[in-house]
């Protein structure tokens, strides 16, 4: 593939994908800051209700993944994401206008429904633009919007809460999504053949490479056949367990730090941002070597095993040494995020394009269900036990299960993948 065309695609599309997913993640993850910054007290939200509201988002997120991927593949990822941006920005801002807790139930659920289309639509979108040897890095730059957003959102939210209120935090962080929707609509095309910034030769070269890739994959008739695949089932269960750890961590880290350290909300925001610095570095490094070696599985399970061990170590230390426990949480957070790029590169390498998007959506929907379980149970355990120790064991166990499930998946080995790439390039 022409390296000039490759650089053009990365330069043009990755910043747009990154910003879009960053805005989605901002409006989903700032709930924990809202609770810690006064929303819980003002609306009389109990620990149990708070856990349920945090997890209700993921219940809505669970149901509409596959329809979203299907629409993106058959019609337009561009249009689907445009409307999603407008709706989720409005719902996020509406959170700041809630006068009692009853408002938050439909808002959190509908926010999950609207955002459920974003991840599968984005993965489908990138699979139309980036080839096998580019895909882990493309996916990583997309999902980098997750930890990178939590990084700056943790600091920004702390300052907004300190300077204004939890209400203005939600409103000011929801508005950019609506504005960005129109920029997205103007700049994005669904497929290379529609892009005016590529030459005809570049368009044809990309199309030829995609056709060669698809020719090496075993045909799969429909979603039903794909969903019965052992690899898809194992990856769905793996992502369920993995997401328990990730979202139990993301949703409740600010509350855990604030309670354990007795620091103010601004300092809590700064400390909450550090794991995501490690995550960004880890994601970039792993995606680079994953594309270079075409080895996906090994990078995923080793990274998640490190996360599991770090959570368990933080449990063993307990409250005896806050800074050591916090350091292990930083490692756990970084390790959980690092392998996203290689993970989402697995499915397009084992399933053809007509079903790969739906399979990724199914896997992501199981991740949403795991996120529901993780965010609810971690919040519940923290409330019942009065500390994070039980939730650390819970998240460590979930990550260890995901390690075992990853190792059980029969994905193409690195040597076999390299052979396929050599055949395709001939």
């Amino acid at each position: 593939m022409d390296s000039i065309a490759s650089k053009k695609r990365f330069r043009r599309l990755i910043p747009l994908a990154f910003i879009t997913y960053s805005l989605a993640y901002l409006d989903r993850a700032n709930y924990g800051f809202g609770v810690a910054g006064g929303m819980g007290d003002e609306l009389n939200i109990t620990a149990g209700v708070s856990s349920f509201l945090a997890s209700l988002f993921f219940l809505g997120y669970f149901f509409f993944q596959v329809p979203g991927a299907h629409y993106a593949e058959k019609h337009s990822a561009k249009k689907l994401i445009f409307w999603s941006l407008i709706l989720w920005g409005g719902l996020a801002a509406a959170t700041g206008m809630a006068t009692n807790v009853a408002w938050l139930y439909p808002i959190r659920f509908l926010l999950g429904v609207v955002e459920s289309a974003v991840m599968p639509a984005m993965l489908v979108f990138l699979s139309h633009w980036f080839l096998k040897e580019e895909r882990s890095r493309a996916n990583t730059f997309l999902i980098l919007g997750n930890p990178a957003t939590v990084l700056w959102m943790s600091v920004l939210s702390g300052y907004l809460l300190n300077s204004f209120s939890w209400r203005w935090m939600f409103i000011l962080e929801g508005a950019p999504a609506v504005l960005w929707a129109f920029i997205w609509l103007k700049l994005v095309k669904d497929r290379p053949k529609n892009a005016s910034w590529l030459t005809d030769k570049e368009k044809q070269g990309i199309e030829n490479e995609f056709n060669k890739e698809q020719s090496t994959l075993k045909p799969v008739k429909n979603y039903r056949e794909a969903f019965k695949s052992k690899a898809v089932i194992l990856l769905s269960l793996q992502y369920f367990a993995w997401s328990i750890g990730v979202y139990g961590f993301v949703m409740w880290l600010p509350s855990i730090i604030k309670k354990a350290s007795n620091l103010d909300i601004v300092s809590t925001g700064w400390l909450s941002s550090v794991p995501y610095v490690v995550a960004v570095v880890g994601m970039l490094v792993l995606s680079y070597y994953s594309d270079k070696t075409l080895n996906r599985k090994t990078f995923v399970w080793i990274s998640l095993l490190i996360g599991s061990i770090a959570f368990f170590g933080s449990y063993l230390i307990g409250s005896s040494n806050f800074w050591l426990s916090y350091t292990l949480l930083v490692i756990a957070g970084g390790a959980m995020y690092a392998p996203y790029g290689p993970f989402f590169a697995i499915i397009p390498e084992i399933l053809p394009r007509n079903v790969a998007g739906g399979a990724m959506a199914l896997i992501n929907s199981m991740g949403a269900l795991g996120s529901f379980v993780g965010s609810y149970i971690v919040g519940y355990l923290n409330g019942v036990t009065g500390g994070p120790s039980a939730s650390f064991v819970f998240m460590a166990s979930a990550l260890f299960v995901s390690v075992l499930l990853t190792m059980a998946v029969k994905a193409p080995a690195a040597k076999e993948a390299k052979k396929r790439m050599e055949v395709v390039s001939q």
Side-chain angles (χ1 to χ4, degrees):
M1 183 65 226
D2 184 357
S3 63
I4 295 175
S6 179
K7 287 176 183 176
K8 276 169 118 177
R9 284 178 288 125
F10 268 93
R11 229 176 15 239
R12 180 90 180 199
L13 299 173
I14 292 302
L16 298 174
F18 173 82
I19 292 170
T20 303
Y21 194 61
S22 292
L23 292 172
Y25 211 79
L26 167 66
D27 292 330
R28 135 186 2 175
N30 58 6
Y31 172 79
F33 276 91
V35 172
M39 182 170 71
D41 293 334
E42 187 173 332
L43 300 184
N44 297 314
I45 302 173
T46 65
V49 170
S50 183
S51 296
F52 183 67
L53 284 169
S55 55
L56 195 57
F57 169 91
F58 299 106
L59 199 58
Y61 196 76
F62 170 72
F63 286 109
F64 295 92
Q65 297 274 325
V66 175
H70 180 75
Y71 182 90
E73 184 64 59
K74 299 298 181 186
H75 301 287
S76 173
K78 169 184 170 176
K79 290 179 182 176
L80 181 62
I81 291 167
F82 168 75
W83 287 110
S84 296
L85 277 159
I86 290 174
L87 290 170
W88 93 57
L91 286 164
T95 305
M97 302 173 193
T99 55
N100 62 68
V101 72
W103 281 46
L104 298 178
Y105 292 108
I107 289 173
R108 290 294 297 175
F109 179 77
L110 289 173
L111 189 64
V113 170
V114 171
E115 283 200 30
S116 67
V118 178
M119 182 65 167
M122 278 295 194
L123 289 170
V124 168
F125 173 74
L126 293 179
S127 73
H128 290 164
W129 279 93
F130 295 98
L131 300 162
K132 183 174 184 177
E133 67 270 24
E134 307 166 320
R135 206 163 282 140
S136 180
R137 280 169 294 154
N139 290 342
T140 290
F141 280 113
L142 167 68
I143 302 168
L144 217 60
N146 175 325
T149 300
V150 180
L151 170 59
W152 61 261
M153 182 270 292
S154 298
V155 177
L156 175 65
S157 296
Y159 279 107
L160 288 175
L161 287 166
N162 192 54
S163 303
F164 301 101
S165 68
W166 64 269
R167 292 185 181 280
W168 277 107
M169 182 198 76
F170 283 114
I171 293 167
L172 292 173
E173 291 181 351
V178 179
L179 300 175
W180 181 254
F182 296 94
I183 298 172
W184 168 267
L185 190 66
K186 176 73 175 173
L187 296 180
V188 168
K189 301 295 181 187
D190 276 304
R191 294 175 186 269
K193 66 181 180 182
N194 306 125
S196 60
W197 45 272
L198 287 173
T199 66
D200 290 339
K201 183 180 178 182
E202 288 168 340
K203 292 176 187 178
Q204 192 58 54
I206 294 167
E207 189 62 32
N208 291 342
E209 293 298 322
F210 275 124
N211 290 337
K212 286 178 184 177
E213 270 190 16
Q214 293 296 302
S215 68
T216 66
L217 299 175
K218 180 182 175 184
V220 178
K221 286 188 297 184
N222 50 40
Y223 284 160
R224 180 179 295 181
E225 187 178 330
F227 292 172
K228 290 193 292 186
S229 157
K230 184 179 178 182
V232 172
I233 293 169
L234 285 171
L235 288 171
S236 296
L237 294 173
Q238 187 270 11
Y239 201 48
F240 172 84
W242 180 2
S243 297
I244 285 175
V246 171
Y247 282 94
F249 180 85
V250 169
M251 296 303 292
W252 297 110
L253 183 64
S255 296
I256 290 170
I257 290 175
K258 193 170 188 300
K259 187 167 184 178
S261 64
N262 293 315
L263 294 170
D264 60 52
I265 194 67
V266 174
S267 300
T268 298
W270 278 104
L271 286 182
S272 298
S273 71
V274 176
Y276 304 103
V277 177
V278 178
V280 168
V281 174
M283 289 175 77
L284 291 172
V285 171
L286 259 65
S287 68
Y288 174 80
Y289 284 104
S290 174
D291 276 348
K292 199 170 182 64
T293 63
L294 294 179
N295 188 338
R296 312 301 189 190
K297 264 178 58 174
T298 304
F299 287 107
V300 175
W301 73 258
I302 288 178
S303 189
L304 295 179
L305 181 60
I306 292 170
S308 177
I309 293 169
F311 269 132
F312 192 69
S314 196
Y315 155 73
L316 291 176
I317 292 165
S319 59
S320 63
N321 188 326
F322 168 76
W323 290 109
L324 182 55
S325 178
Y326 169 73
T327 300
L328 288 170
L329 287 180
V330 170
I331 293 170
M336 283 191 296
Y337 274 99
Y340 272 120
F343 178 79
F344 279 108
I346 293 173
I347 284 295
E349 293 174 7
I350 60 178
L351 290 174
R353 189 187 295 177
N354 65 309
V355 293
M360 287 189 290
L362 176 67
I363 292 165
N364 202 46
S365 69
M366 289 301 293
L369 198 58
S371 303
F372 174 85
V373 172
S375 58
Y376 179 76
I377 292 183
V378 168
Y380 175 79
L381 289 173
N382 290 345
V384 168
T385 63
S389 293
S391 63
F392 289 163
V393 173
F394 175 62
M395 290 186 282
S397 302
L399 287 181
F400 187 70
V401 169
S402 74
V403 169
L404 298 178
L405 290 167
T406 306
M407 295 173 75
V409 175
K410 287 188 177 177
K415 285 183 181 177
E416 182 188 340
K418 280 187 175 178
K419 263 187 198 174
R420 283 188 184 182
M421 285 303 301
E422 286 166 7
V423 170
V424 166
S425 62
Q426 288 172 0

